[in-house]
Amino acid sequence: MTTMNLRQTPLPSAAVPPVPFGTDVPWTNWGGNQQATPAFTVRPRTEQEALDAVRFAIKEGLPVRAVGSGHSSSPLVQTGGVLLEMSAMTGITGTDKARRRARALAGTTINAFGDPLWKQGLALSNQGDIDKQQIAGALATSTHGSGKDLGSFSSALRWVKLINGHGEIVEIGEGQLRELRAAQVALGTLGIFLEVELAVEDSYYLQEQITYPDWAETAATWDADIDGNRHYSLLWCPGEGSAELLDLPGAPGLSMTNRSYTKRYNKVRIADESEISTVEGSRLDRSYRIYPGGFTTPFHELEYFVPREHGLAATEAVQELIRTRYPEQKYPVEVRWVKADEGYMSQFQGRETTVITLTTEPGTDYWQFFRDADALLQEFEPRAHWGKIHFMTRSRLERLYPQLETFIDVRREFDPRGVFLNDHTRALLG
Ligand SMILES: Cc1cc2nc3c(=O)[nH]c(=O)nc-3n(C[C@H](O)[C@H](O)[C@H](O)COP(=O)(O)OP(=O)(O)OC[C@H]3O[C@@H](n4cnc5c(N)ncnc54)[C@H](O)[C@@H]3O)c2cc1C
């Protein structure tokens, strides 16, 4: 596999109609809080079909958005134009063991990387709480796991082939750092990703350790836990019944009120796979079997990113908000850590980060809780997960993302007519 340079593929000028699988087909996301009825929904099976769909849209003056697994709860996917449903473009397309690289089609789900990479002695460096997202969907929002030395999926992007707003297939590699840093976190606004290359690592086993410290103990060992483990994350439970809401096994014989469910995953070497253990709380397994948690019941989340040095204060401020003003909010608060990176629109750009996730129940009125949490966390200069509910505005982005202008310049070069914008992304990045 070689690193590609930016290349423009000459293509015929006439747009042909796409192969739609439907017109006016209603779309709803996983959480049920976002809907759209695109004029055309297209499920391309090949690059050519995706290209035909984009060229058709450009010719007809229609906007285009892509959808991955629909796990974002912000209004990223909505379009009244052409929706490209990417689930048919899937599969690992190449690996390079020596360079520790893997290529995959854009619709490949994270869980489809596990076995094929393992067979080549490779593995993803990190994963988040679930593995059902498509890789291009995960990249678009800077999806992350936890670990202070581990970056997001976006930080691992080294090459991408995409369809731009001129109706061309182009490639961005490491020779085009300016464009690559824009592509790493693009919210779908540079164009339709067709295939990506990620930096990966040698395959590894992880040993899980689950503990249930009370909050005083959690806070007392804060930095030691972050620094002393490859993956450290915690879910703080405000009350009884909290753990069950996310299917977390509670501490045997202990009240979970004001207690944390903490996860540590560290690399181990084993003689052979007879040492694999599936005992809950102390599993030992291939990395990709340890990470994903599940989460089958829909919920809604707000996820904010504060500089690591403010992580404990910000978490305790959120706890106080729940205790004093929102005691009915029972979902655990998740806290994770992510390494700094360079993607222009990455929430981790230039700062080691503590991630704080608030989860709420669909069908309940959680807006005031989220707004108050947003206001409370402002003193910590929070960035927000692009794929979760947030209150970001253009003026906030101007303050929080030093490379915003460069991102917008690149976006306009790739898509001068704004083919790939919808109302949400136009307001932020138009
Ligand atoms: C239960 C649950 C658990 C989660 N856990 C985590 C976690 O641990 N860590 C974390 O960081 N996030 C997490 N998330 C958030 C999730 O990872 C992101 O919202 C992610 O973007 C969803 O990926 P998707 O494939 O569903 O993409 P979608 O939600 O379908 O789309 C997301 C964005 O990607 C764009 N897109 C999709 N495909 C393409 C393409 N081929 N070309 C260009 N743009 C494209 C879409 O237009 C959209 O802008 C979780 C979400 C849920 C619901």
Side-chain angles (χ1 to χ4, degrees):
M1 196 191 307
T2 51
T3 307
M4 306 284 176
N5 289 323
L6 187 66
R7 164 172 83 73
Q8 301 211 336
T9 310
L11 291 158
S13 55
V16 294
V19 187
F21 80 77
T23 51
D24 299 324
V25 177
W27 169 85
T28 304
N29 69 334
W30 177 87
N33 68 323
Q34 302 293 347
Q35 286 88 30
T37 306
F40 297 90
T41 303
V42 182
R43 186 182 290 143
R45 293 158 298 186
T46 61
E47 286 181 2
Q48 189 60 49
E49 287 184 358
L51 187 63
D52 289 346
V54 172
R55 289 182 156 194
F56 168 80
I58 292 172
K59 181 164 169 277
E60 298 297 330
L62 294 168
V64 182
R65 293 294 285 169
V67 62
S69 299
H71 274 60
S72 297
S73 45
S74 52
L76 283 172
V77 165
Q78 276 87 339
T79 181
V82 176
L83 184 66
L84 264 66
E85 203 274 303
M86 300 299 287
S87 62
M89 292 191 62
T90 181
I92 305 296
T93 51
T95 53
D96 183 332
K97 170 75 174 149
R99 291 174 58 241
R100 298 187 181 81
R101 295 296 171 83
R103 282 192 180 187
L105 297 181
T108 309
T109 49
I110 292 170
N111 56 24
F113 281 72
D115 287 329
L117 261 58
W118 193 268
K119 284 193 188 110
Q120 304 302 324
L122 296 169
L124 296 171
S125 300
N126 202 13
Q127 295 181 213
D129 286 342
I130 59 161
D131 58 8
K132 298 189 168 52
Q133 307 94 319
Q134 293 180 14
I135 190 61
L139 289 164
T141 65
S142 204
T143 290
H144 61 88
S146 189
K148 71 149 183 106
D149 294 324
L150 303 173
S152 68
F153 279 97
S154 296
S155 70
L157 182 72
R158 296 289 180 273
W159 169 88
V160 55
K161 177 159 56 169
L162 71 156
I163 304 172
N164 66 16
H166 303 280
E168 301 159 338
I169 294 182
V170 297
E171 299 176 24
I172 304 172
E174 289 169 271
Q176 296 84 37
L177 259 195
R178 174 175 170 272
E179 290 79 9
L180 187 65
R181 286 178 176 161
Q184 282 174 329
V185 188
L187 290 76
T189 66
L190 288 199
I192 304 301
F193 282 25
L194 298 170
E195 189 179 357
V196 300
E197 180 181 310
L198 301 179
V200 295
E201 59 181 88
D202 291 340
S203 55
Y204 56 100
Y205 293 88
L206 289 175
Q207 170 78 64
E208 170 188 67
Q209 187 194 7
I210 304 292
T211 61
Y212 301 91
D214 64 25
W215 186 252
E217 293 170 294
T218 311
T221 57
W222 192 261
D223 282 314
D225 281 322
I226 302 164
D227 292 329
N229 294 285
R230 185 178 193 277
H231 166 117
Y232 174 67
S233 63
L234 67 94
L235 291 114
W236 170 73
C237 294
E240 295 314 301
S242 294
E244 290 80 351
L245 288 170
L246 288 182
D247 298 326
L248 305 174
L254 291 174
S255 159
M256 283 304 287
T257 302
N258 200 28
R259 196 173 284 283
S260 307
Y261 171 92
T262 72
K263 296 194 274 188
R264 293 172 186 77
Y265 302 150
N266 285 298
K267 277 187 181 177
V268 283
R269 287 186 186 283
I270 61 172
D272 63 58
E273 292 207 336
S274 66
E275 292 182 48
I276 284 176
S277 165
T278 54
V279 175
E280 189 69 50
S282 60
R283 292 176 300 151
L284 188 168
D285 210 335
R286 298 179 181 185
S287 55
Y288 62 95
R289 294 176 183 160
I290 293 284
Y291 290 117
F295 299 145
T296 46
T297 315
F299 47 68
H300 296 158
E301 289 181 317
L302 169 139
E303 184 167 295
Y304 275 14
F305 303 80
V306 303
R308 174 181 162 176
E309 58 272 26
H310 301 312
L312 180 55
T315 305
E316 292 190 330
V318 165
Q319 291 175 330
E320 192 60 12
L321 178 73
I322 293 174
R323 280 199 200 94
T324 55
R325 298 187 48 201
Y326 295 96
E328 74 282 8
Q329 295 296 339
K330 290 287 187 229
Y331 272 87
V333 174
E334 187 172 22
V335 188
R336 291 177 280 181
W337 288 268
V338 182
K339 187 181 168 185
D341 65 30
E342 295 303 331
Y344 299 143
M345 297 313 299
S346 165
Q347 303 91 329
F348 315 107
Q349 191 277 329
R351 62 192 214 190
E352 199 178 333
T353 296
T354 301
V355 181
I356 302 173
T357 311
L358 306 188
T359 305
T360 55
E361 194 176 346
T364 62
D365 185 6
Y366 46 78
W367 285 104
Q368 197 56 47
F369 173 49
F370 278 178
R371 285 200 174 281
D372 286 345
D374 172 73
L376 180 76
L377 291 173
Q378 285 312 304
E379 70 168 295
F380 304 110
E381 305 234 298
R383 293 168 175 164
H385 198 305
W386 298 122
K388 305 193 181 187
I389 291 166
H390 63 76
F391 303 101
M392 284 291 151
T393 58
R394 181 68 165 252
S395 63
R396 282 194 185 187
L397 298 195
E398 283 165 6
R399 196 163 44 78
L400 291 166
Y401 290 85
Q403 305 294 334
L404 176 68
E405 263 184 47
T406 312
F407 178 85
I408 290 174
D409 286 347
V410 175
R411 191 201 66 67
R412 288 179 179 154
E413 289 160 24
F414 274 70
D415 183 21
R417 284 170 288 193
V419 173
F420 299 111
L421 295 176
N422 65 3
D423 289 349
H424 179 68
T425 50
R426 185 176 298 104
L428 294 171
L429 302 168

